[in-house]
Amino acid sequence: QVQLVESGGGLVQPGGSLRLSCAASVSIFRMNTMGWYRQAPGKQREMVARIFRIGSSDYQSSVKGRFTISRDIGKNTVYLQMNNLKADDTGVYYCHWAGVDESGVDGDYWGQGTQVTVSS
C-alpha cells in the first residue's frame, strides 16, 4: 500500500499562483511515475503533469509554460507549481503514484483530491 497526502489547493484569482504538494509514504525511487490529474465538473479526469523516476517530466499542452512539476527526493514529495492560473484550471486535483510498493507489488494509487478554484 502507498498513502498519498495532498495539500495546497484553494481559491485564487485568474493570473494567480498556487503550489500543490503530494507526499508519498514510500521511497520516491519505488515509483515509475508520480504526478497530478484533475477533474472538472462534468468532465473526465485528465493528466496535468507527471514526473518519471529518472526525473524527466511531461505536461498537458494547456499547462505548458505555466505549470512546473518537481520533486524532493528526501521528502518523497512531488510539487506542482501553478502560475498564471485560468478559470479552465478549476477542478479537483488528484495526486497519482504508479510503481512497486514495499511488498514488491505493482500498483497505482490516488490521493484524496484537493480543490482548485480559479475565479474572480
Side-chain angles (χ1 to χ4, degrees):
Q1 288 288 325
V2 177
Q3 281 74 48
L4 302 171
V5 178
E6 303 161 345
S7 62
L11 172 64
V12 64
Q13 292 186 343
S17 297
L18 284 173
R19 189 176 82 152
L20 305 182
S21 301
C22 176
S25 61
V26 298
S27 168
I28 206 165
F29 289 113
R30 290 190 167 273
M31 66 90 166
N32 294 320
T33 65
M34 190 169 174
W36 295 92
Y37 288 66
R38 70 185 177 196
Q39 188 164 19
K43 295 186 177 181
Q44 290 190 331
R45 193 173 296 188
E46 59 183 4
M47 194 277 291
V48 176
R50 60 184 176 177
I51 193 163
F52 298 90
R53 184 171 54 203
I54 61 172
S56 59
S57 57
D58 66 0
Y59 298 87
Q60 183 192 114
S61 58
S62 69
V63 308
K64 284 182 180 178
R66 300 188 297 121
F67 291 12
T68 303
I69 191 167
S70 62
R71 65 183 183 181
D72 184 327
I73 293 173
K75 295 181 179 180
N76 298 324
T77 298
V78 168
Y79 303 97
L80 184 67
Q81 178 66 43
M82 305 186 292
N83 297 329
N84 191 21
L85 282 159
K86 304 177 180 180
D88 285 347
D89 295 318
T90 294
V92 179
Y93 283 66
Y94 296 92
C95 181
H96 176 257
W97 186 101
V100 180
D101 67 19
E102 291 178 331
S103 298
V105 177
D106 272 313
D108 65 320
Y109 299 87
W110 294 92
Q112 77 279 8
T114 185
Q115 178 70 44
V116 171
T117 302
V118 184
S119 175
S120 55

